[in-house]
């Protein structure tokens, strides 16, 4: 696959993924992170005459002067994520917009989550657009694919985690739930349709952010950020109290 | 200006802005919200043969089958926002990406914030792309433009509000600040450069979200969501305790 964009390529160089080759405009090739990677013998850079070349190679206008041929993305094992101590896992139910998937992965990585779980079908996968939207966070955060998300939630509960589905309405206030007592799987649905009934039914409970304006719903990546950081906040408070 | 996108047009019809005319594909024209607006005599709809017509009229491929000629966007008065009881204002320091401005306005509107303040220069304005990215939230949330953001922050402090600037590092933990005691202005900088020195110096304090991953920074709209909802959470807790 051909990654594009400064952060996407930079983080691929810093992460476990194999980076076979980089194409960069003279401007991008002179950036310190890329010069350092070349000086360190980490990768070869083809300096191309102009942005047009990078666009042709990457197939996207959003390349910021640099793209890279890299190895396939290695998905993580969902069952392995559940073995981590008190995991914080973000499970996404058929989120198809690459921007939203990338944005949620970026926030989850920044907040120190354990990983993200997506279904194999009817979901955005880790494409170059997602790598770009995640600012390269996909290179560091484990992302696992499962055949059936509802089954994964039942497995997670068997493994001792608590599964909470975010709903626009009908959920308990998100602050009224204790996220510090054990592993947590936060389940988010697609913006149009929310959680599928069987996915919602496989959760321990449903939670909701307060909506106090005129418009109907938060963007799913904005909701993810508020919810993930509330979980982190509660865990920090509990850790201090210990 | 010509708005485009389902939510952008729908919320313009629900809000104070004058909607002069709507163009819609047969599919979009048959959606209940638009049929109801026509039946209520609120607006005329030109049903056009196909999406190509809407794209030509709106100048964007992101129209979802509908666009509307509307009156100019009416900005709010920043000084007036400061007169509200215990305002929660989000001030944006030179955020130029329309997606980020729109996303932050959407979250602020959903969370029940008082309004958003942006500088007149070197900032994204309320363009049709921002209306679309905000899912129409710009029609309901006051947005004010100020000549000088640092001066506005000093005015806000004179008016009794507390101004907190978000910084990637160097700030106090965002949860260690009391947001419930009075008005709050949350100041967010552009992703690349953060807050300008004079803007940061005009704040009462700097705050930071914990970053526990490998990548350097949250997207500014993700940071906005976590911070705004923490302010709302603290205020809810304080209101209950009263």
């Amino acid at each position: 696959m051909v990654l594009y964009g400064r952060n996407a390529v930079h983080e691929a160089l810093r992460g476990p993924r194999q980076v076979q080759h980089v194409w960069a405009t003279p401007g991008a090739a002179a950036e310190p992170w890329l010069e350092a990677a070349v000086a360190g013998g980490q990768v070869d850079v083809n300096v191309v005459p102009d942005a047009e070349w990078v666009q042709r190679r990457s197939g996207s206008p959003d390349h910021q002067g640099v793209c890279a041929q890299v190895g396939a993305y290695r998905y993580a094992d969902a069952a392995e994520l559940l073995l981590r101590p008190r995991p914080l896992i973000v499970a996404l139910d058929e989120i198809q917009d690459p921007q939203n998937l990338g944005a949620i992965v970026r926030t989850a990585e920044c907040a120190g989550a354990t990983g993200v779980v997506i279904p194999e079908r009817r979901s955005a996968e880790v494409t170059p657009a997602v790598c770009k939207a995640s600012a390269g966070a996909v290179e560091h955060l484990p992302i696992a694919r499962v055949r059936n998300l509802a089954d994964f939630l039942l497995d997670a509960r068997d493994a001792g985690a608590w599964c909470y589905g975010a709903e626009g309405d009908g959920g308990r206030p998100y602050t009224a739930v204790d996220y510090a007592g054990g592993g947590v799987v936060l389940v988010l649905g697609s913006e149009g349709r929310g959680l599928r009934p069987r996915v919602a039914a496989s959760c321990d409970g449903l939670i909701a952010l307060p909506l106090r304006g005129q418009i109907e719903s938060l963007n799913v990546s904005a909701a993810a950020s508020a919810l993930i950081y509330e979980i982190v906040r509660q865990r920090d408070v509990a850790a201090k109290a210990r």
Side-chain angles (χ1 to χ4, degrees), chain A:
Chain A
M1 108 170 39
V2 177
L3 295 185
Y4 55 85
R6 205 180 292 122
N7 288 330
V9 174
H10 186 183
E11 299 304 333
L13 285 166
R14 292 178 62 207
R17 174 133 69 164
Q18 201 199 344
V19 180
Q20 287 139 359
H21 208 88
V22 171
W23 291 266
T25 59
E31 290 186 25
W33 62 272
L34 193 46
E35 282 199 327
V38 174
Q42 216 185 334
V43 75
D44 287 326
V45 175
N46 252 32
V47 181
V48 297
D50 58 31
E52 188 106 344
W53 288 62
V54 184
Q55 174 152 352
R56 223 175 306 142
R57 185 65 68 172
S58 64
S60 166
D62 299 331
H63 52 68
Q64 302 173 312
V66 59
C67 68
Q69 175 77 44
V70 299
Y73 186 74
R74 294 234 180 125
Y75 288 96
D77 178 26
E80 196 275 319
L81 295 181
L82 292 174
L83 296 177
R84 307 280 184 92
R86 290 204 314 152
L88 166 50
I89 296 169
V90 182
L92 304 177
D93 188 21
E94 300 193 340
I95 289 188
Q96 292 174 340
D97 177 1
Q99 293 300 320
N100 280 335
L101 175 56
I104 293 169
V105 169
R106 179 174 178 182
T107 301
E109 204 277 338
C110 282
T114 311
V116 165
V117 172
I118 57 178
E120 281 175 8
R121 305 203 306 165
R122 283 185 291 276
S123 169
E125 319 169 46
V126 181
T127 59
V130 171
C131 298
K132 171 77 163 55
S134 81
V138 297
E139 311 298 340
H140 306 295
L141 189 73
I143 302 176
R145 302 211 295 174
V146 294
R147 279 182 82 101
N148 185 302
L149 196 62
D151 289 347
F152 168 73
L153 298 178
L154 299 177
D155 289 348
R157 290 167 68 178
D158 282 347
W162 297 85
C163 298
Y164 296 106
E167 283 271 276
D169 42 58
R172 255 189 296 175
Y174 78 115
T175 51
V177 171
D178 174 12
Y179 307 106
V184 169
V185 182
L186 172 65
V187 195
L188 298 159
S190 74
E191 252 177 86
R193 291 160 299 137
L195 300 173
R196 286 174 294 166
R198 205 184 144 230
V199 169
S202 302
C203 292
D204 290 285
L206 301 177
I207 56 175
L209 284 154
L211 294 175
R212 294 176 181 164
Q214 302 290 312
I215 66 169
E216 264 176 30
S217 70
L218 285 161
N219 169 277
V220 63
S221 68
S225 183
L227 294 169
I228 290 169
Y229 269 101
E230 169 63 8
I231 296 168
V232 169
R233 186 193 69 80
Q234 283 195 15
R235 289 178 165 199
D236 285 355
V237 170
K240 253 194 199 155
R242 256 183 232 119

